[in-house]
Amino acid sequence: MHPRSSFKAFLEVVKSRSLPWKDFEMDAIHSLQLILRNAFKDVETVDVNPNAIHVKLSDLKIEGMQELEAVTSEMVRLIETATVPILAVDVDGLVNGWNTKISELTGLPVDKAIGKHLLTLVEDSSTKMVKRMLDLALHGKEEQNIQFEIKTHGSRSDLGPISLVVNACASRDIRENVVGVCFVAQDITGQKTVMDKFTRIEGDYKAIVQNPNPLIPPIFGTDEFGWCSEWNPAMTKLTGWKREEVIDKMLLGEVFGINMACCPLKSQEAFVNLGIVLNHAMTGQVSEKVPFGFCARSGKHIECLLCVSKKLDSEGSVTGVFCFLQLASPELQQALHVQRLSEQTAVKRSKELSYIKRQIRNPLAGIMFSRKMMEGTELGTEQKQLLHTSAQCQHQLNKILDDSDLDTIIDGYLDLEMVEFTLHEVLLASVSQVMIKSNAKSIRIVHEAAEEIMNETLYGDSLRLQQVLADFLAVSIYFMPTGGQLTIAANLTKDQLGQSVHLVHLELRITHAGGGIPEGLLNQMFGNDIAISEEGIGLLVSSRLVKLMNGDVRYLREAGKATFIISVELAAAHKLRS
């Protein structure tokens, strides 16, 4: 049979077979080698009659060379277009074959690979293995499914080495001498990456679960058939049973059960409930922590919370369950007790505060009614001013009583009002709230502000500004020495925003004698201290209100006196009068 006929018959056979690509390529190479060798043998076995030898030899040379050329071309095409990596070396180990697939995987072009020694192209960790496989193949011993790693080059060098599973095929000449080795490979880089990651995760899991660190909770588990497959050091310490004593025993019945179990349960109902929880987890149902009690080896009864979760393999199939126990330590029990007391105290104080607020509103309503009745009588200018100041204080008190959530102010989410007012009326209302305290300490309050500033028509939240000033005045007087002087100064500048609206920058200075406010209280005002006092919460709220007005608060200490500097932004309808 001619080589072309043999090759056609070979193609028909391999088309009818369902082989993996790697095995198919190996069969193809072996078969094509046999075809080539048989073709040369056909030339050697022709009729040697002297009368016909020259004619026969001439005809066979031409026909044989044509057929061999066709078969060789098919073999080259088969190797070059293969979807698996194929490379070949000569007897010296130098690369003389490098197909498109391996060039694509490694980033090394064919012209750069040809002539290089194979051992220079593989990873150092694989050199010994590849050298052994090469030596065996050159001696005619072909190995299969050998795994090694080969280097990457160029743009693919950052991706790391390629992992291959290789079959070695010895290349022979017509005299059956090995003249090289052809390697047909399968790229398993992706699978190896997954397996390496799985190995790392499995190692991390074992390192965590089997760690004797007291922070690791008691953990046990079962496989899909209910046999105990996990029992960590924390479980050994808790129950008194060693890992080797419970592993491969039935979790329900032998480890946890009613009679003759390692860890007896208190009742049949507890046994049934444990089985239900485990079955729910096995079927993928998420369960909450459930109370769980059993007896340890020492006879001590253990009460804890049980949390069960399913265990999955790489394909997502359930292979068992993990069980975690949560124990309430004495420290945790004490912390929970303190937390409950704190919550009860907070609820109690909240109720007390709600009661006080409701009780304040009743007499406040009476004061407001009395004020309105007085406004209907004949009053002098000074009396009307006093009533107006009283009304401003009442409005401020109503607004403060409505502040049910201080976090809204502290976090900066409070909505400010925009009303018309003068600085004069705000200062009068603020000062009136500290007059009783200042008179008791013989403290004189002095105003240092131009009349045009005091009477300028401003727009903003006058009641919140009034609340801020009253709080800073009160704390200043509290820490002042008796018989001192407190000075209030004001400065106002404008930026024009349009034809009729101006942005007002108002700065107020409250200067008082003495050493000033304690540093700890100032830290509370700026939110730098977690433990906050009653005075501190007032200053903190006032500083946040100032910030909501696009301003800030500073506190300066000088020799023998200290100053609050309060700056806010307001609006004005017209320029300052000259």
Side-chain angles (χ1 to χ4, degrees), residues 553-572:
V553 181
R554 289 172 292 163
Y555 192 73
L556 300 180
R557 298 181 191 272
E558 298 174 338
K561 62 180 181 179
T563 304
F564 275 112
I565 303 175
I566 306 142
S567 61
V568 295
E569 287 186 356
L570 303 168

Side-chain angles (χ1 to χ4, degrees), residues 289-433:
K289 294 179 181 178
V290 296
F292 181 56
F294 60 90
C295 285
R297 193 170 196 169
S298 62
K300 180 182 177 181
H301 188 73
I302 307 294
E303 285 290 344
C304 55
L305 294 177
L306 172 66
C307 180
V308 184
S309 62
K310 60 184 177 181
K311 181 169 59 173
L312 304 176
D313 60 14
S314 59
E315 297 178 354
S317 302
V318 178
T319 59
V321 295
F322 279 122
C323 303
F324 304 85
L325 298 183
Q326 181 178 346
L327 304 173
S329 64
E331 294 80 6
L332 178 59
Q333 291 178 352
Q334 178 65 22
L336 293 174
H337 178 66
V338 171
Q339 181 181 356
R340 285 193 295 269
L341 290 179
S342 299
E343 291 173 352
Q344 292 171 2
T345 302
V347 171
K348 181 180 178 182
R349 288 185 177 179
S350 177
K351 291 180 179 179
E352 291 174 349
L353 182 59
S354 298
Y355 167 77
I356 292 172
K357 283 187 174 184
R358 284 196 302 270
Q359 296 305 312
I360 289 175
R361 292 187 187 277
N362 293 333
L364 181 60
I367 294 172
M368 294 176 64
F369 175 76
S370 300
R371 177 179 58 78
K372 288 184 177 295
M373 294 297 293
M374 290 179 66
E375 289 175 351
T377 63
E378 294 184 6
L379 300 171
T381 303
E382 187 176 353
Q383 293 171 321
K384 288 181 180 180
Q385 180 60 58
L386 290 173
L387 279 179
H388 181 72
T389 300
S390 176
Q392 290 296 100
C393 292
Q394 290 168 18
H395 293 323
Q396 176 188 332
L397 181 56
N398 269 324
K399 187 173 284 277
I400 293 172
L401 289 173
D402 290 336
D403 289 339
S404 58
D405 186 6
L406 291 183
D407 289 339
T408 303
I409 301 175
I410 294 173
D411 295 338
Y413 296 114
L414 182 70
D415 293 327
L416 298 179
E417 294 181 351
M418 182 66 72
V419 297
E420 181 182 308
F421 68 96
T422 65
L423 185 58
H424 178 265
E425 61 186 17
V426 168
L427 284 177
L428 281 181
S430 301
V431 171
S432 69
Q433 298 175 47

Side-chain angles (χ1 to χ4, degrees), residues 410-535:
I410 294 173
D411 295 338
Y413 296 114
L414 182 70
D415 293 327
L416 298 179
E417 294 181 351
M418 182 66 72
V419 297
E420 181 182 308
F421 68 96
T422 65
L423 185 58
H424 178 265
E425 61 186 17
V426 168
L427 284 177
L428 281 181
S430 301
V431 171
S432 69
Q433 298 175 47
V434 297
M435 285 305 297
I436 294 177
K437 290 183 180 179
S438 63
N439 290 336
K441 296 182 69 172
S442 301
I443 294 173
R444 191 162 64 96
I445 299 177
V446 178
H447 297 267
E448 291 183 357
E451 183 179 352
E452 59 267 24
I453 295 178
M454 297 291 284
N455 294 322
E456 177 73 25
T457 301
L458 304 172
Y459 295 90
D461 198 327
S462 62
L463 293 179
R464 292 300 185 181
L465 181 59
Q466 181 177 298
Q467 175 185 343
V468 167
L469 293 177
D471 203 25
F472 288 134
L473 286 169
V475 74
S476 297
I477 290 174
Y478 183 83
F479 290 101
M480 280 181 64
T482 301
Q485 176 175 299
L486 185 145
T487 304
I488 304 173
N491 184 38
L492 187 149
T493 58
K494 289 184 178 181
D495 291 332
Q496 186 168 348
L497 296 179
Q499 295 295 327
S500 59
V501 179
H502 297 81
L503 181 65
V504 174
H505 302 278
L506 176 64
E507 183 181 275
L508 295 166
R509 289 175 174 258
I510 301 174
T511 304
H512 60 90
I517 298 171
E519 195 68 30
L521 191 58
L522 288 176
N523 288 333
Q524 295 177 29
M525 179 180 75
F526 294 112
N528 298 328
D529 196 339
I530 298 176
I532 195 164
S533 62
E534 293 181 5
E535 296 88 354

Side-chain angles (χ1 to χ4, degrees), residues 106-374:
T106 62
L108 184 64
V110 176
D111 57 337
K112 297 289 183 64
I114 297 298
K116 289 185 177 295
H117 198 284
L118 178 61
L119 296 181
T120 65
L121 299 179
V122 300
E123 285 290 307
D124 294 342
S125 59
S126 301
T127 301
K128 186 176 180 181
M129 182 187 306
V130 174
K131 185 177 185 303
R132 175 181 172 277
M133 179 175 60
L134 186 60
D135 291 341
L136 289 175
L138 290 173
H139 287 84
K141 297 179 181 179
E142 301 173 342
E143 289 192 308
Q144 294 186 344
N145 298 323
I146 302 301
Q147 182 177 334
F148 67 84
E149 292 185 336
I150 192 165
K151 298 175 182 177
T152 52
H153 306 265
S155 60
R156 298 189 63 85
S157 58
D158 293 337
L159 301 178
I162 300 298
S163 296
L164 301 176
V165 171
V166 176
N167 288 351
C169 173
S171 301
R172 302 174 185 269
D173 60 13
I174 59 174
R175 295 179 180 82
E176 296 296 326
N177 296 319
V178 176
V179 295
V181 182
C182 182
F183 299 97
V184 181
Q186 179 180 352
D187 178 22
I188 62 165
T189 306
Q191 297 93 311
K192 185 177 183 300
T193 301
V194 172
M195 287 304 299
D196 288 346
K197 186 178 295 185
F198 173 78
T199 302
R200 287 195 300 271
I201 293 173
E202 186 178 31
D204 292 341
Y205 149 72
K206 290 181 178 179
I208 293 172
V209 173
Q210 295 301 326
N211 196 318
N213 192 306
L215 295 178
I216 305 298
I219 302 173
F220 61 93
T222 72
D223 59 18
E224 63 267 40
F225 305 110
W227 300 100
C228 184
S229 59
E230 188 54 73
W231 193 268
N232 76 336
M235 279 300 296
T236 297
K237 183 178 180 181
L238 178 66
T239 63
W241 292 94
K242 296 180 181 179
R243 175 183 173 86
E244 57 269 19
E245 293 178 304
V246 295
I247 291 295
D248 294 333
K249 289 187 176 181
M250 287 298 296
L251 188 72
L252 284 174
E254 292 185 282
V255 180
F256 294 102
I258 303 300
N259 300 316
M260 304 300 293
C262 297
C263 301
L265 302 177
K266 58 184 178 181
S267 64
Q268 180 67 30
E269 181 182 1
F271 180 80
V272 173
N273 289 339
L274 176 60
I276 292 173
V277 171
L278 295 176
N279 286 332
H280 281 175
M282 195 75 74
T283 57
Q285 300 182 44
V286 179
S287 61
E288 300 294 333
K289 294 179 181 178
V290 296
F292 181 56
F294 60 90
C295 285
R297 193 170 196 169
S298 62
K300 180 182 177 181
H301 188 73
I302 307 294
E303 285 290 344
C304 55
L305 294 177
L306 172 66
C307 180
V308 184
S309 62
K310 60 184 177 181
K311 181 169 59 173
L312 304 176
D313 60 14
S314 59
E315 297 178 354
S317 302
V318 178
T319 59
V321 295
F322 279 122
C323 303
F324 304 85
L325 298 183
Q326 181 178 346
L327 304 173
S329 64
E331 294 80 6
L332 178 59
Q333 291 178 352
Q334 178 65 22
L336 293 174
H337 178 66
V338 171
Q339 181 181 356
R340 285 193 295 269
L341 290 179
S342 299
E343 291 173 352
Q344 292 171 2
T345 302
V347 171
K348 181 180 178 182
R349 288 185 177 179
S350 177
K351 291 180 179 179
E352 291 174 349
L353 182 59
S354 298
Y355 167 77
I356 292 172
K357 283 187 174 184
R358 284 196 302 270
Q359 296 305 312
I360 289 175
R361 292 187 187 277
N362 293 333
L364 181 60
I367 294 172
M368 294 176 64
F369 175 76
S370 300
R371 177 179 58 78
K372 288 184 177 295
M373 294 297 293
M374 290 179 66

